[in-house]
Amino acid sequence: MKAPVFDYVRVDSVDKAIGLLQAHGDDARILAGGQTMMATLNMRLSSPQLLVDISQIDQLRKISVNGSTLHIGAMVTHSEIERSDVIRQHAPLLSMAVPHIAHKAIRNRGTWGGSLAYADPAAEWPACAIALGATLVAQGPKGVRRISADQFFLDLYTTALAADELLIDVEIPIGSRQQVVAFQELARRHGDYAIAGIAACAQRDGEMLRQPRFVFFAVANTPFQATRAQAVVDGKVLTPGLVDEAISALRGELNPLSDLTNTSATKLHLSTVLLKRAIHALSAGH
């Protein structure tokens, strides 16, 4: 299929992008890396009258550290995250997750901010953002607004971004030396969409995990934070029995959506397997 007819504007500043969004409302769409947008256009799942290309806004392409906060600009590509020593040092969960994203050619073009704003429930970055306690920074006509990752993903492909707002930055608190992270994903083939996955983070205290975050993806309309399983584990000495209790809690709170190839029961079973693996990885300090 071919894309519908649309106008195209490449901008070189955030203010120009916001001005066009404000002027055109729902008829305008942002074009970042294009790895999702171009596919939806060609399949006529999206039919904007105007595409606003933000790929030349240099301020959105930066990875930096300011005090105790890691900043990742919205136009940073998956491959730039994959190569970054700063990311590896300060947000190793992202370094663990990025090789699972599609294939190299897509990672070279696809962007961090584009993935977060698109809010695909099977994507890795939204779950990682929640697990790391990130704050997403949006800019619109009224100025800059900071949105907790916990509150950003509202429903299937739906976020807290207003129609005239642009995601410009993501702030991630730099973890302490006690912070441990884990990432697990199951897919039919490498590069395929996940059947189920988990991004996990905690503070390791001897044989205990404190403030754990277990965030699943590809199982619900949005990333799913397993709060009951977290409560079971939080601040308790890890034993095989405690892990079994956490798995039981997960079974009680997660009712995965089925898809074309996997039933809800299959996704639930795989999620329990992933939770067990993640807890063991956290306890080992990986």
Side-chain angles (χ1 to χ4, degrees):
M1 295 182 68
K2 294 183 179 179
V5 175
F6 56 84
D7 291 328
Y8 167 89
V9 178
R10 177 183 288 175
V11 297
D12 58 8
S13 74
V14 170
D15 287 339
K16 289 178 182 178
I18 293 170
L20 288 168
L21 292 177
Q22 189 176 21
H24 293 271
D26 291 338
D27 292 330
R29 293 288 186 276
I30 292 294
L31 177 65
Q35 297 308 288
T36 297
M37 175 58 72
M38 298 313 297
T40 60
L41 286 172
N42 288 335
M43 291 186 287
R44 302 219 170 191
L45 297 174
S46 180
S47 54
Q49 294 181 16
L50 174 68
L51 278 188
V52 182
D53 184 346
I54 62 171
S55 63
Q56 300 303 306
I57 304 179
D58 290 338
Q59 74 179 84
L60 304 184
R61 307 193 70 94
K62 298 177 181 178
I63 299 172
S64 62
V65 174
N66 184 4
S68 60
T69 303
L70 169 67
H71 294 264
I72 307 176
M75 280 300 300
V76 172
T77 67
H78 309 314
S79 288
E80 287 169 338
I81 289 175
E82 192 170 15
R83 294 191 298 266
S84 172
D85 290 335
V86 174
I87 297 289
R88 212 166 356 260
Q89 178 182 356
H90 297 298
L93 179 65
L94 303 184
S95 298
M96 294 177 183
V98 67
H100 295 272
I101 298 175
H103 302 283
K104 188 65 175 177
I106 290 175
R107 296 200 294 274
N108 285 341
R109 294 284 302 174
T111 63
W112 157 255
S115 176
L116 292 169
Y118 188 60
D120 188 328
E124 291 82 2
W125 288 150
C128 289
I130 293 174
L132 292 173
T135 298
L136 289 84
V137 184
Q139 186 171 333
K142 297 179 180 178
V144 172
R145 186 165 66 103
R146 285 173 168 79
I147 311 163
S148 167
D150 291 340
Q151 306 297 320
F152 186 78
F153 305 100
L154 303 180
D155 204 342
L156 184 67
Y157 305 120
T158 305
T159 73
L161 280 176
D164 57 2
E165 285 184 319
L166 180 67
L167 179 65
I168 61 170
D169 189 22
V170 180
E171 301 171 343
I172 298 174
I174 293 175
S176 68
R177 292 183 179 180
Q178 288 72 43
Q179 186 184 73
V180 286
V181 295
F183 185 90
Q184 301 281 336
E185 178 176 320
L186 295 173
R188 290 172 63 87
R189 298 169 301 180
H190 180 75
D192 284 0
Y193 282 108
I195 301 170
I198 183 173
C201 180
Q203 302 296 316
R204 192 173 64 168
D205 182 4
E207 297 181 0
M208 296 183 292
L209 297 177
R210 297 191 183 277
Q211 302 173 1
R213 285 190 169 214
F214 305 138
V215 187
F216 291 86
F217 56 98
V219 297
N221 282 351
T222 63
F224 179 84
Q225 189 169 356
T227 56
R228 295 185 194 174
Q230 290 172 181
V232 168
V233 172
D234 192 6
K236 301 182 183 72
V237 174
L238 290 174
T239 64
L242 187 69
V243 175
D244 289 342
E245 285 184 43
I247 289 172
S248 179
L250 179 64
R251 289 186 178 278
E253 64 180 329
L254 176 60
N255 183 24
L257 296 174
S258 60
D259 58 32
L260 293 176
T261 55
N262 300 281
T263 66
S264 176
T266 296
K267 284 178 171 278
L268 180 57
H269 170 71
L270 294 178
S271 296
T272 64
V273 172
L274 292 173
L275 177 61
K276 185 173 183 178
R277 291 179 180 177
I279 291 174
H280 285 317
L282 293 173
S283 66
H286 294 162

